[in-house]
Amino acid sequence: MSSNFTKESLFKDYFYYWIKLYKENAVRDVTLGKYLNNYKHVTKLIPSLKMKDFDRSTYQKLLNDYAISHERQTVIDFHHQIKGAILDAVDENLIDRDPTRKAIFKGKNPRKKKKKFLNQFELHNLLQDLDLTEELNWDWLILIIAKTGLRFSEALALTPEDFDFIHQTISVNKTWDYKNGTGFNPTKNKASIRKVQMDWQLGMQFQQLIRNKKSDKPIFVNGPVCNSTPNKWLSRHCKKVGIPVISIHGLRHTHASLLMFAGVSIASVSRRLGHSSITTTQKVYMHIINELENQDNDLVMRYLASLS
């Protein structure tokens, strides 16, 4: 790689080649898209910066300029992707010293976050409003995600042969590429390949719904799919029953949150969601874990007080 570039080369050219060499076909398409999007930002912000001129102040200015239109966490994510290419350039003696050392991260104030999940009462009202017809529709998708915590792409990929009604489980072993329309795709990670237990009522309902469906065909897909359609469907239900409007992915958060509030262990929730590690679950649901810890502290104090 170093034979193609010198210290006189433009960093933006090196960064693009680095992405193609190290990231293409090695990371998920979504991640590759983020790298390529960051390449566009690099091209815009430092179009003529040569490798030899990349020092700490130049790098800090790059981050500062990027931070003008992005939140701090997005700036940190940008930094991590750019840094990988820069460190390789340092190893190849194209950049003299690591300019990313001691970088300062700025950024716009975070936007007010929308509510991501419903409480038990709100979910009950939502499910009561679903129009669960004799034929599969988006309301059935809403129900199955709310009751299993599947990702949208995992639910779209479900086929009749994924249902085991004797053991009341759903096998999650693939996803449906609704963004590019390429059909079945692998799961997000190895941990995402799992069996999810379903309640007896859901099992009975789907046993009737899919009995005449082709065993290897996705039950929710009939032509091109866009996630905006079920999201609008869900939004109408939320507004109708007077609860916060959440997304289809918010149903997954709702499922996990209610399980944790019900006392289900983080390890079990993590496996059910198909997270790559418990750390991922802890990071996503830290606010709930903190709330549960406060409840636990009250229980501990009451128990200790009862010993005297």
Side-chain angles (χ1 to χ4, degrees):
M1 183 170 174
S2 57
S3 60
N4 297 320
F5 293 93
T6 68
K7 291 186 177 184
E8 295 292 327
S9 300
L10 298 179
F11 176 75
K12 69 179 182 67
D13 295 336
Y14 175 89
F15 185 46
Y16 181 75
Y17 186 73
W18 181 87
I19 293 171
K20 302 290 283 186
L21 183 65
Y22 289 109
K23 301 303 174 181
E24 196 170 59
N25 299 321
V27 297
R28 296 175 64 237
D29 289 343
V30 173
T31 306
L32 180 62
K34 291 177 181 177
Y35 274 103
L36 292 173
N37 187 53
N38 284 335
Y39 162 72
K40 291 178 182 178
H41 286 294
V42 166
T43 301
K44 180 181 178 181
L45 295 172
I46 48 172
S48 57
L49 181 69
K50 294 181 178 180
M51 306 290 276
K52 66 175 184 178
D53 298 323
F54 220 147
D55 54 24
R56 280 188 63 201
S57 61
T58 305
Y59 184 69
Q60 187 63 58
K61 185 177 185 308
L62 169 64
L63 292 183
N64 292 352
D65 290 345
Y66 183 80
I68 292 172
S69 56
H70 295 86
E71 293 181 14
R72 184 173 182 275
Q73 184 56 54
T74 309
V75 175
I76 293 172
D77 295 340
F78 175 76
H79 158 76
H80 284 309
Q81 290 201 340
I82 305 298
K83 182 178 179 178
I86 290 175
L87 292 182
D88 279 347
V90 172
D91 287 345
E92 294 163 18
N93 295 318
L94 298 174
I95 297 175
D96 290 333
R97 296 183 185 87
D98 175 14
T100 69
R101 198 169 61 87
K102 296 183 179 180
I104 304 298
F105 307 114
K106 305 175 184 179
K108 296 196 305 179
N109 290 328
R111 291 170 295 175
K112 187 177 180 180
K113 298 291 190 290
K114 285 185 177 180
K115 187 173 181 182
K116 291 184 177 180
F117 61 92
L118 304 175
N119 61 35
Q120 188 172 346
F121 175 75
E122 292 165 340
L123 179 62
H124 174 76
N125 286 346
L126 169 65
L127 298 185
Q128 287 293 304
D129 195 57
L130 297 181
D131 183 18
L132 301 175
T133 61
E134 293 182 2
E135 292 294 325
L136 285 164
N137 57 20
W138 289 125
D139 279 4
W140 283 110
L141 181 92
I142 290 170
L143 178 68
I144 200 169
I145 293 178
K147 284 199 164 190
T148 62
L150 297 185
R151 298 178 177 93
F152 178 58
S153 59
E154 293 172 342
L156 286 181
L158 290 176
T159 64
E161 62 188 11
D162 294 324
F163 290 82
D164 182 346
F165 297 112
I166 295 175
H167 298 98
Q168 292 182 208
T169 61
I170 298 173
S171 292
V172 181
N173 48 46
K174 56 194 175 300
T175 60
W176 186 262
D177 181 15
Y178 62 92
K179 293 180 180 178
N180 302 308
T182 61
F184 290 119
N185 265 7
T187 54
K188 186 174 183 179
N189 50 57
K190 288 184 178 180
S192 294
I193 300 173
R194 63 201 188 279
K195 289 186 185 296
V196 178
Q197 202 80 28
M198 59 180 162
D199 66 85
W200 65 268
Q201 186 181 31
L202 190 69
M204 288 181 63
Q205 289 169 317
F206 271 84
Q207 191 168 17
Q208 294 299 314
L209 285 164
I210 66 176
R211 65 185 185 280
N212 296 321
K213 302 285 185 184
K214 291 185 178 179
S215 63
D216 60 345
K217 299 295 182 183
I219 62 176
F220 288 112
V221 178
N222 184 21
V225 177
C226 179
N227 67 342
S228 63
T229 304
N231 274 323
K232 288 176 183 175
W233 201 284
L234 174 58
S235 175
R236 283 196 295 269
H237 283 300
C238 292
K239 290 174 182 176
K240 184 180 174 183
V241 298
I243 61 176
V245 175
I246 63 168
S247 65
I248 289 290
H249 192 71
L251 291 172
R252 176 171 159 88
H253 287 311
T254 297
H255 180 80
S257 302
L258 294 183
L259 288 183
M260 282 191 271
F261 280 124
V264 178
S265 71
I266 295 174
S268 294
V269 172
S270 182
R271 282 194 296 271
R272 190 168 174 86
L273 294 179
H275 281 165
S276 56
S277 70
I278 294 179
T279 305
T280 302
T281 315
Q282 290 172 324
K283 183 179 178 182
V284 174
Y285 298 102
M286 182 55 69
H287 58 296
I288 295 173
I289 293 169
N290 290 337
E291 192 171 337
L292 290 172
E293 282 182 351
N294 290 334
Q295 293 178 13
D296 287 344
N297 288 336
D298 292 339
L299 287 173
V300 169
M301 292 302 104
R302 285 202 296 270
Y303 172 72
L304 293 177
S306 71
L307 295 178
S308 57

